[in-house]
């Protein structure tokens, strides 16, 4: 691995940068331990120390070192630079630095840059009513909490896409680097465009240890590590040592070198048009874990071992010798040289670091973006499919959406603030119209057989749902917009990343200084009911269940039943901020139920009676509810059967697009008031509900409703395989015949009178089974079924049967 030797720092610079580092280290230790006596003006006593010692020291000195040197680089080069802290458990470090630079006190004036503010800074950390221990949303300049490890690099790349002047310095923990998401995010080097995008500078923090183990990358030797990092497309530079002055010189020299390299890569691509794939520089920083902390505690080595990970001296209140060691440790930073009599950082500690919004904690990229703007959205109504009568025609909803997305892409091409990400599925999900106006980002080799690959393409495809999600999050967190299209089953891969993002959104709602960020939009298609090619492994609608666990304020779930409703929902989602929107929609041909005008009304209501499909005259015997495209189809086919066989049964059809409307108004902002819910679903008639996903979710959402005891939900109950579309619904008892049987079973007066009809339905299911097993496809009456009634003849009218 290359080492850059050099002594770029003058004695004065060296002294300033080292003093700054000591100040940050002092403030970090103070946060972990101190409740009072912040400047050690009196001898340290047990009552000055927190009773519960919570936080992470080990990673902190390294993070402080990096921050100090980034400050130097930003000033020297007037860089637009932000940092992402992979080992986000080092919260004390970033909080300390933002306090030193003043950005913390600007956001939180009571934590002022004086002794009273320092006391608050220390007390609040990991303290009830205070702040979290990580680089959470509360920390100025953070777009990455780093609590759940693994996402730093993907976030960093997401931030630099379409931000050509931005550099993100991303500290990657050597333990973090063992995670799947981090491991695959190195491949971002094949996507980042030196012309249109900014640059990421990964800094692999090789402090050697995790919580209780060595880090793999620290134990494979420099050769193997170098090969690995080169293999990912980087040119790694090593900075190693435990002598602060030597490390300062080496890190400064190396940063100078790699920043020159980044500038050179961008210059050759931007001015000379050199399109050869860049071998982006990165730094491997090998310094001791827990550096400058207690060396040996109770006879065991602590510094430079995993024992320094959390709190190296844990028995302060029981052991006077631990208290004495803590005092000695704090004094080792010479606080009297770092802070003046009022507790302010001394001038020479901070007069050289960035000012204004060049401060890492104040860079607008980290707070909703430097130039946030809404998307230009073409009028989605112009993309409508024409619907002369419900179900008379069919379309592939996502293909229709793709045409609108293409024009969204074009309309925002100059603003460069819209991206589509996906794991190799944009085309499979039938959104390929976007390729008429842009390509897929790709800096690697190309062959004549390739299609739509483009070094500056705006679609990002990599077969890593983690990286897709991380990129998009980084993009959104820096104020731009996007859509993640994914197979429904495999979006579960990012369950946990979704969790973290949803938590972030929840927290920023209460931070007055955080600006809203564009919503995270999922388009889940290739869904459970239409996995014709793939079968069981690809059938899982459970992401919705996962999503609705999160705070109601930040999540929205939409199940548009056809093309026009999908357009209307997508337009709504791309305009929104601070939400996670989940849209589940099919890509296969399916009936167009609603004209665009009706679709807009229906989506605005979120759910409603389809009067053209109902014949209840306000007094239904049964409510047939449905949510999702396939359940809607089966419900309408069931309604047709009921009309044919039980013509005097009064059926009301209610379709649900916005799932959250089922909750009560006090549970979710979209929740339907009880009076309205009761009017739609009645308080005493049976409700047969066909739902796209696992049926229990509907019960979960509606359990407080008056009519819950009469709610009978059909949905996916984990019966799947590679079979025909109709066999899938039969296997899960959500088919039209079974829905009719449900009605007969639930409507009290029907039982005996409709016994023959019920038997017919059972027989139909048997015939279906035999037919599919013989012919390998669905029965003609299923394949050719269309809604036979004409809406123009009035609600529920029968035009031709
Ligand atoms: C995904 C995930 N798994 C496990 C943990 C628990 N954890 C917190 S810190 C840590 C070790 C991190 O080691 P490293 O990345 O090397 O950080 P550093 O040494 O800088 O503290 C682990 C396993 C976590 N935060 N996230
Ligand atoms: Mg480590």
């Amino acid at each position: 691995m290359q080492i850059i030797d050099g002594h770029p720092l003058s004695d004065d610079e060296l002294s300033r940068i080292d003093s700054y580092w000591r100040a940050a280290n002092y403030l970090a230790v103070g946060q972990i331990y101190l409740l009072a006596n912040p400047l050690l003006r009196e001898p340290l006593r047990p009552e000055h120390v927190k009773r519960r010692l919570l936080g992470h020291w080990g990673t902190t000195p390294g993070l402080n070192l990096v921050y100090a040197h980034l400050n130097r680089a930003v000033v020297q080069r007037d860089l637009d630079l932000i940092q992402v802290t992979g080992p986000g458990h080092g919260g004390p470090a970033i909080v300390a630095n933002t306090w030193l630079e003043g950005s913390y006190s600007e956001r939180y004036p009571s934590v002022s840059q004086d002794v009273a503010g320092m006391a608050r800074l220390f007390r609040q950390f990991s303290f009830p009513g205070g702040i979290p221990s990580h680089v959470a949303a509360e920390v100025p300049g953070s777009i990455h909490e780093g609590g759940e490890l693994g996402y730093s690099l993907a976030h960093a790349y997401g931030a630099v896409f379409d931000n050509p002047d931005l550099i993100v310095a991303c500290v990657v923990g050597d333990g973090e680097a063992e995670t799947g998401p981090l491991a695959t995010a190195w491949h971002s080097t094949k996507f980042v465009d030196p012309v249109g995008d900014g640059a990421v500078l990964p800094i692999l923090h090789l402090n050697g240890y995790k919580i209780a183990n060595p880090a793999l990358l620290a134990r494979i030797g420099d050769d193997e590590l170098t090969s690995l990092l080169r293999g990912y497309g980087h040119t790694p530079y090593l900075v190693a040592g435990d002598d602060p002055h030597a490390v300062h010189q080496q890190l400064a020299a190396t940063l100078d070198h790699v920043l020159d390299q980044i500038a050179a890569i961008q210059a050759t691509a931007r001015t000379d048009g050199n399109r050869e794939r860049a071998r982006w520089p990165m730094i491997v920083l090998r310094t001791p874990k827990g550096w400058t902390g207690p060396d040996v505690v109770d006879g065991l080595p602590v510094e430079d071992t995993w024992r320094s990970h959390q709190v190296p001296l844990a028995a302060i209140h029981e052991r006077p010798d631990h208290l004495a060691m803590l005092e000695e440790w704090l004094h080792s930073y010479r606080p009297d040289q770092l802070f003046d009599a009022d507790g302010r950082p001394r001038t020479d500690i901070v007069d050289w670091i960035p000012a204004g919004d060049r401060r890492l904690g104040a860079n607008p990229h980290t707070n909703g973006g430097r130039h946030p703007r809404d998307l230009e959205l073409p009028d989605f109504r112009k993309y409508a499919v024409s619907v002369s009568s419900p179900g008379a025609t069919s379309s592939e909803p996502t293909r229709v959406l793709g045409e609108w997305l293409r024009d969204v892409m074009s309309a925002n091409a100059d603003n460069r603030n819209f991206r589509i990400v996906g794991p190799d599925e944009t085309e499979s999900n039938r959104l390929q119209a976007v390729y008429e106006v842009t390509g897929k980002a790709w800096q690697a080799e190309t062959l004549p057989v390739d299609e739509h690959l483009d070094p500056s393409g705006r679609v990002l495809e990599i077969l890593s749902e983690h990286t897709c999600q991380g990129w998009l999050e980084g993009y959104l967190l820096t104020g731009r917009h996007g859509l993640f299209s994914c197979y429904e089953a495999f979006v579960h891969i990012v369950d946990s990343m979704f969790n973290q993002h949803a938590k972030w959104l929840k927290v920023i709602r209460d931070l007055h200084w955080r600006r809203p960020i564009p919503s995270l939009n999922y388009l889940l298609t290739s869904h459970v009911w239409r996995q014709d090619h793939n079968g069981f492994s690809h059938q899982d609608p459970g992401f919705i269940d996962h999503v609705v666990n999160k705070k109601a304020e930040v999540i929205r779930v939409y199940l548009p039943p056809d093309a026009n409703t999908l357009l209307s929902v997508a337009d709504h989602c791309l305009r929104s901020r601070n939400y996670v929107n989940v849209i589940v929609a099919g890509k296969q041909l399916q009936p167009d139920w609603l004209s665009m005008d009706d679709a807009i009304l229906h989506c605005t209501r979120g759910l409603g009676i389809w009067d053209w499909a109902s014949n209840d005259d306000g007094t239904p015997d049964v409510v047939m509810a449905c949510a999702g495209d396939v359940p809607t189809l089966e419900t309408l086919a069931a309604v047709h059967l009921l009309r044919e066989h039980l013509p005097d049964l009064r059926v009301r059809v209610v379709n649900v697009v916005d799932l959250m409307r089922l909750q009560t108004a006090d549970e979710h902002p979209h929740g339907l008031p009880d009076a309205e819910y009761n009017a739609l679903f009645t308080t005493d008639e049976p409700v047969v509900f066909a739902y796209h996903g696992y049926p229990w979710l509907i019960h979960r959402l509606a359990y407080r409703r008056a009519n819950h005891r009469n709610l009978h939900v059909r949905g996916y109950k984990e019966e799947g395989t590679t079979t025909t579309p109709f066999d899938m619904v039969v296997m899960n008892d959500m088919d039209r015949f079974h829905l009719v049987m449900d009605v007969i079973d639930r409507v009290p007066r029907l039982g005996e009178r409709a016994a023959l009809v019920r038997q017919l339905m059972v027989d139909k299911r048997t015939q279906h089974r035999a037919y599919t097993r013989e012919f390998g496809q669905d029965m003609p009456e299923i394949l050719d079924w269309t809604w036979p009634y004409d809406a123009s003849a009035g609600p529920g009218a029968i035009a031709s049967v």
Side-chain angles (χ1 to χ4, degrees), residues 237-488:
Y237 293 90
L238 180 67
V239 175
D242 58 5
D243 167 24
H245 284 202
V247 171
H248 283 312
Q249 290 289 10
Q250 210 189 100
L251 181 52
T254 308
L255 260 180
D256 288 348
H257 184 80
V258 297
L259 290 168
D260 283 347
Q261 277 206 330
I262 287 173
I265 289 168
Q266 292 178 333
T268 44
R270 290 175 193 184
T271 52
D272 311 346
N274 181 349
R275 276 301 189 176
E276 217 174 289
R277 178 153 68 89
R279 304 290 157 162
W280 295 92
M282 64 167 290
I283 294 176
V284 176
L285 178 65
R286 186 193 287 141
T287 51
K289 188 153 180 165
W291 196 12
T292 72
D295 189 16
V296 174
V297 179
D298 300 336
L300 295 170
V302 171
E303 190 187 17
D304 204 13
T305 79
W306 44 268
R307 288 195 191 89
S308 68
H309 181 72
Q310 289 188 343
V311 181
L313 296 162
I316 306 289
H317 290 279
E318 296 79 32
R319 297 268 304 271
D321 58 327
H322 278 206
L323 182 70
M325 284 174 79
L326 172 61
E327 189 171 27
E328 189 190 336
W329 177 15
L330 282 161
H331 273 303
S332 73
Y333 299 117
R334 289 163 272 152
D336 46 317
Q337 293 176 11
L338 309 173
F339 307 101
D340 67 16
D342 298 326
R344 271 182 263 278
R346 284 189 188 278
T347 315
D348 56 335
I349 305 284
V350 290
D351 65 354
W352 58 274
I353 64 176
D357 71 10
R358 286 301 198 218
R359 289 171 299 174
L360 273 57
N363 191 308
H365 284 294
T366 62
N367 187 14
R370 190 172 279 285
H371 305 293
R373 54 184 301 159
D374 292 339
L375 280 179
E376 303 290 329
L377 293 178
D379 184 350
F380 65 94
R381 292 171 299 186
K382 297 202 177 114
Y383 301 78
V385 297
S386 124
V387 181
S388 54
S389 180
T393 53
S394 294
S395 329
E396 298 158 299
T398 55
R399 194 183 294 280
V400 175
L401 180 73
E403 289 171 16
W404 180 69
L405 288 174
R406 172 197 62 208
D407 294 351
V408 173
M409 198 60 100
S410 304
N412 298 281
D414 291 343
N415 298 335
R416 301 176 55 80
N417 62 346
F418 181 62
R419 293 265 184 168
I420 293 177
V421 303
D424 187 33
E425 291 160 9
T426 307
E427 187 139 358
S428 166
N429 292 337
R430 305 198 180 160
L431 303 175
Q432 61 267 50
V434 295
Y435 296 138
E436 293 167 28
V437 297
T438 189
K440 296 179 265 192
W442 188 262
Q443 313 294 331
E445 291 172 4
T446 56
L447 294 175
V449 69
D450 299 329
E451 284 182 351
H452 309 307
L453 300 183
D454 177 354
S456 50
R458 311 194 52 72
V459 176
L460 290 163
E461 291 211 321
I462 182 171
L463 211 175
S464 161
E465 284 76 4
H466 290 125
T467 304
C468 290
Q469 170 89 16
W471 282 345
L472 183 56
E473 287 179 359
Y475 200 69
L476 302 173
L477 286 158
T478 47
R480 287 78 58 73
H481 308 258
L483 177 77
F484 182 0
S485 100
C486 193
Y487 283 10
E488 184 184 36

Side-chain angles (χ1 to χ4, degrees), residues 58-59 87 89 172-176 205-211 213-215 218 289 309:
T59 192
H89 42 282
V172 176
D174 51 3
E176 182 193 14
H205 191 194
L206 209 67
N207 63 14
Y209 297 92
K210 299 172 285 195
I211 299 178
N213 279 291
K289 188 153 180 165
H309 181 72

Side-chain angles (χ1 to χ4, degrees), residues 31 55 133 163 457:
Q31 288 176 74
S133 62
N163 268 330

